[in-house]
């Protein structure tokens, strides 16, 4: 049984995803590093991450950290969002 648990653990550690979705993840500066480490851990070269953020809660340091970690990002255009989310301080980065 110990071998099975170890094998499952290794498999879980190496599992990569094509898409990662999240929201309200980056508003605490102390969580930027673990979040970015998790994104690296669970993504592969072609993974698409969609993260919902509010510009009032998410500090520029988060975006700087993403860039330093090798991630590229851009804010989705408002016309791609539901009307209730357009023009405000909410955005989705990809």
């Amino acid at each position: 049984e110990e071998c099975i648990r170890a094998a499952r653990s290794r498999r879980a550690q190496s599992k990569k995803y094509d898409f990662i979705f999240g929201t309200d993840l980056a508003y605490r500066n102390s969580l930027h590093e673990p979040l970015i480490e998790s994104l690296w851990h669970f993504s592969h070269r072609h993974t698409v991450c969609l993260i919902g953020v509010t510009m009032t809660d998410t500090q520029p340091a988060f975006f700087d950290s993403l860039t330093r970690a090798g991630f590229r990002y851009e804010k989705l255009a408002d016309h791609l969002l539901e009307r209730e989310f357009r023009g405000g301080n909410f955005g989705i980065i990809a």
Side-chain angles (χ1 to χ4, degrees):
E1 187 167 329
E2 192 67 31
C3 290
I4 293 172
R5 267 188 263 152
R8 284 183 182 158
S9 176
R10 281 192 302 277
R11 218 174 325 155
Q13 290 174 0
S14 65
K15 182 128 177 108
K16 306 293 182 182
Y17 296 91
D18 294 331
F19 296 96
I20 297 175
F21 302 94
T23 189
D24 299 320
L25 301 172
Y27 59 91
R28 291 186 188 242
N29 290 351
S30 63
L31 298 178
H32 293 174
E33 186 177 332
L35 171 59
I36 291 169
E37 286 175 6
S38 295
L39 291 173
W40 263 113
H41 182 80
F42 292 110
S43 64
H44 54 74
R45 184 172 181 207
H46 299 289
T47 297
V48 174
C49 301
L50 295 176
I51 301 175
V53 298
T54 56
M55 298 309 172
T56 54
D57 293 338
T58 305
Q59 302 295 314
F62 173 66
F63 301 102
D64 294 340
S65 295
L66 278 175
T67 301
R68 278 194 306 277
F71 286 97
R72 294 183 329 228
Y73 67 89
E74 63 182 78
K75 181 181 181 285
L76 270 61
D78 273 356
H79 75 275
L80 298 172
L81 303 175
E82 291 291 327
R83 289 193 188 279
E84 64 188 279
F85 297 109
R86 294 179 190 170
N89 66 355
F90 176 80
I92 296 180
I93 62 168

